[in-house]
């Protein structure tokens, strides 16, 4: 089987920090697209939620070799919800992550990220996004509308922001 260097270059761990679920979903989508170019993602992709975590299942997923791609992608959402024992197991794993997996951690609360940033930064990559300011939100909306070959008036833009608020996922749906 021919190996894809783009997949092999995936780091062993990523930390995606931000209160906005849109940023996490877009970052995750970009990482998953690297695998999807190779074939079916079902066998080498698994998601876990920290609020309902079976730590043994997570560790097994991280230590199981890839079926097709050379890397498994394992996502652990909402790590701020980890119980203390689970947090310790994940931190131990981060000391020596498996070469055969990429662990993607989602942290919604940037204030709780200090220790996570430090651990991940040494072995992987931290992606962080602050909430958009109103001016950034206006620019983002104009850009999204423009991608569809359309434009939006200032009044319509204001109305859209008032009705939807800063939720980028919902905003993207409304723009579509």
């Amino acid at each position: 089987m021919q190996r894809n260097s783009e997949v092999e270059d995936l780091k062993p761990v990523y930390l995606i920090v931000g209160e906005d679920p849109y940023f996490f979903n877009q970052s995750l989508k970009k990482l998953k697209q690297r695998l999807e170019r190779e074939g079916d993602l079902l066998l080498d992709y698994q998601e876990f939620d920290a609020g309902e975590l079976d730590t043994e299942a997570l560790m097994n997923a991280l230590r199981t070799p890839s079926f097709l791609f050379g890397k498994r992608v394992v996502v652990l959402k909402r790590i701020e919800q980890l119980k203390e024992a689970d947090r310790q197991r994940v931190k131990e794993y981060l000391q020596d992550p498996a070469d055969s997996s990429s662990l993607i951690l989602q942290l919604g609360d940037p204030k709780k990220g200090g220790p996570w940033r430090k651990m991940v930064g040494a072995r992987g990559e931290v992606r962080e996004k602050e909430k958009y300011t109103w001016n950034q939100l206006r620019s983002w909306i104009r850009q999204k509308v423009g991608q569809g070959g359309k434009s939006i008036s200032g009044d319509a833009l204001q109305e859209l922001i008032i009705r939807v608020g800063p939720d980028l996922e919902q905003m993207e749906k409304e723009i579509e």
Side-chain angles (χ1 to χ4, degrees):
M1 173 174 32
Q2 184 177 4
R3 300 259 175 178
N4 179 342
S5 62
E6 189 175 8
V7 171
E8 290 179 355
D9 289 342
L10 284 173
K11 298 187 184 306
V13 63
Y14 293 86
L15 174 64
I16 302 174
V17 182
E19 297 173 77
D20 184 359
Y22 180 84
F23 175 68
F24 171 74
N25 291 333
Q26 291 300 106
S27 297
L28 182 58
K29 180 179 176 182
K30 288 175 186 173
L31 292 169
K32 285 170 62 175
Q33 284 173 342
R34 293 166 117 178
L35 288 176
E36 288 171 338
R37 285 188 210 120
E38 289 293 299
D40 188 0
L41 192 60
L42 289 175
L43 297 175
D44 284 326
Y45 178 83
Q46 225 168 333
E47 282 189 14
F48 296 88
D49 186 295
E52 307 163 359
L53 186 62
D54 175 348
T55 310
E56 285 307 313
L58 173 67
M59 292 302 144
N60 287 337
L62 289 167
R63 301 281 185 209
T64 301
S66 166
F67 290 103
L68 298 173
F69 303 120
K71 285 271 190 183
R72 289 180 56 79
V73 173
V74 178
V75 178
L76 180 56
K77 294 181 175 182
R78 302 179 324 129
I79 61 172
E80 62 271 22
Q81 301 291 322
L82 285 169
K83 295 175 186 148
E84 185 56 37
D86 295 336
R87 185 177 6 264
Q88 283 307 119
R89 291 283 309 272
V90 172
K91 286 180 177 182
E92 287 170 16
Y93 173 82
L94 292 176
Q95 297 296 319
D96 185 26
D99 292 333
S100 59
S101 297
S102 283
L103 173 61
I104 301 170
L105 302 168
Q106 178 198 22
L107 177 66
D109 185 352
K111 294 173 189 161
K112 296 183 179 182
W116 292 105
R117 285 183 190 91
K118 188 174 180 179
M119 281 185 291
V120 169
R123 290 161 187 78
E125 182 178 314
V126 177
R127 295 180 180 188
E128 191 160 0
K129 178 70 175 147
E130 298 291 322
K131 282 186 173 179
Y132 280 117
T133 65
W134 287 109
N135 286 335
Q136 291 171 324
L137 182 58
R138 286 184 189 100
S139 296
W140 183 86
I141 292 169
R142 288 191 190 282
Q143 177 189 7
K144 284 291 182 185
V145 169
Q147 288 173 354
K150 305 287 182 187
S151 62
I152 186 168
S153 72
D155 289 341
L157 180 74
Q158 259 329 97
E159 186 66 25
L160 187 60
I161 291 172
I162 290 168
R163 288 179 185 250
V164 177
D167 182 340
L168 296 184
E169 277 189 305
Q170 184 62 36
M171 186 67 72
E172 185 172 60
K173 291 175 187 171
E174 294 297 326
I175 291 169
E176 287 176 16

